[in-house]
Amino acid sequence: MDPHSLKKLNKARSSRQAAILVTDLAEGRDRVVLEGDEVAGALGEEVSSRFLSGKSGLVDCDGRSFFLNVHLPPPRIVIIGAVHISQALYPMAQMTDFDVTIIDPRSAFATAERFGGVNLIADWPQDVLPLKPLDRYTALVAVTHDPKIDDPGVEAALKAGCFYVGALGSRKTHAKRVQRLTEAGFGEVDIARISAPIGLEIGAATPAEIAVAVLADIILAYRKRALDRSGASR
C-alpha cells in the first residue's frame, strides 16, 4: 500500500470517518476515497453503493478492474434510558454488531444486575455526551418518557447528524417535544428526522416487541442513510 494511502486511511479510521481503499489491479496503484469525495462515472456509483453496504469486493468499471476495500466506522447505538425496552433492545443490537451504550442518571435503574455485558453509564446525557460525542454512524434512542433526560440526548443527536434519532412517546407526547425543540431553535427539517412514535409500525405492544420494532427501524435507517456529500478529502 502507498504510504500516503496508509496514513490517510489510519487517520480516517481513528476519526470514525468512512473510507474506501481503491486499488487499480492492472497498475497496482491505490488511493483512499473518503465519504463525501467526488468520484466520477461508474466507479463513483460503485463507491457510493459500497459505502452503504459496507461490503468490500472486486468491481469492473470502464474496462478496468478495481478492488474496493471498505472501512466503515463500527455503528453505535446510544440508548437514553435503562428501562424494560432497553433490556430487550441491547442484546439484540449487540447480536447485529452494534456497539451499545446505555445512559441513565437514575442509578436505581442503571444497574449492572439489569444490564450485564453492556457499556452502562449512570449519569446525565448532557454530562456524558460532550465527552463521548455522537456522529453520523451513531443511532440515538430516547426511551425514558422524561424530557429532562431524553431531550438533551435528542438535541445532541440532531446536531451531530446521527443516522437515526428515535424517541418513545405518544403523538401527544411528541407534539410537546416538537414544541420544546422548536423553542430551542431546531427547524422543521431537523425535527422531522425524529422517529416518533419510535420504531417500525408492526403493532408492537410489549417492551420486547417494541425493542424489535426499534432495532428494525434502526437497521432500515442505517442501510438507507444518506451519504455525506459535504465535501472533498479532509
Side-chain angles (χ1 to χ4, degrees):
M1 181 190 301
D2 182 271
H4 175 72
S5 294
L6 178 60
K7 182 178 180 181
K8 187 174 180 179
L9 183 60
N10 286 339
K11 181 180 179 182
R13 296 182 67 177
S14 65
S15 61
R16 285 183 55 83
Q17 190 173 7
I20 297 179
L21 180 66
V22 180
T23 302
D24 186 322
L25 297 182
E27 299 180 356
R29 295 188 299 180
D30 58 52
R31 61 175 170 141
V32 174
V33 177
L34 303 179
E35 183 177 340
D37 286 348
E38 289 289 336
V39 180
L43 180 59
E45 294 177 5
E46 191 65 38
V47 164
S48 294
S49 175
R50 299 282 173 156
F51 271 126
L52 291 175
S53 71
K55 294 181 179 178
S56 301
L58 182 68
V59 298
D60 292 314
C61 297
D62 301 324
R64 305 176 72 91
S65 296
F66 301 89
F67 190 84
L68 306 186
N69 196 348
V70 184
H71 298 265
L72 299 184
R76 304 186 300 195
I77 299 176
V78 173
I79 304 172
I80 306 298
V83 299
H84 290 308
I85 294 171
S86 311
Q87 285 181 295
L89 176 58
Y90 87 83
M92 292 191 296
Q94 289 175 326
M95 289 172 60
T96 45
D97 294 330
F98 285 97
D99 181 18
V100 181
T101 295
I102 299 174
I103 302 171
D104 195 323
R106 302 169 298 184
S107 55
F109 294 164
T111 67
E113 291 75 19
R114 300 180 70 226
F115 293 92
V118 67
N119 184 25
L120 178 65
I121 303 174
D123 207 340
W124 293 90
Q126 56 266 47
D127 293 332
V128 175
L129 295 179
L131 303 176
K132 299 179 179 296
L134 305 173
D135 58 31
R136 289 175 46 79
Y137 281 82
T138 303
L140 183 121
V141 176
V143 287
T144 73
H145 274 305
D146 185 340
K148 295 193 304 298
I149 304 174
D150 285 344
D151 283 6
V154 171
E155 292 181 11
L158 292 177
K159 290 177 181 176
C162 289
F163 74 85
Y164 178 87
V165 186
L168 186 67
S170 66
R171 297 189 187 282
K172 182 178 179 179
T173 297
H174 185 58
K176 293 180 180 177
R177 181 183 298 117
V178 169
Q179 182 177 356
R180 294 192 301 273
L181 291 171
T182 301
E183 292 172 353
F186 289 91
E188 292 183 3
V189 174
D190 281 333
I191 294 173
R193 295 183 51 235
I194 302 172
S195 180
I198 196 169
L200 292 184
E201 180 52 65
I202 60 172
T206 68
E209 291 174 354
I210 294 171
V212 170
V214 171
L215 183 57
D217 204 14
I218 289 172
I219 293 172
L220 177 63
Y222 182 64
R223 294 303 178 195
K224 299 293 185 182
R225 71 192 185 281
L227 293 178
D228 181 7
R229 303 293 186 187
S230 61
S233 294
R234 288 138 281 189

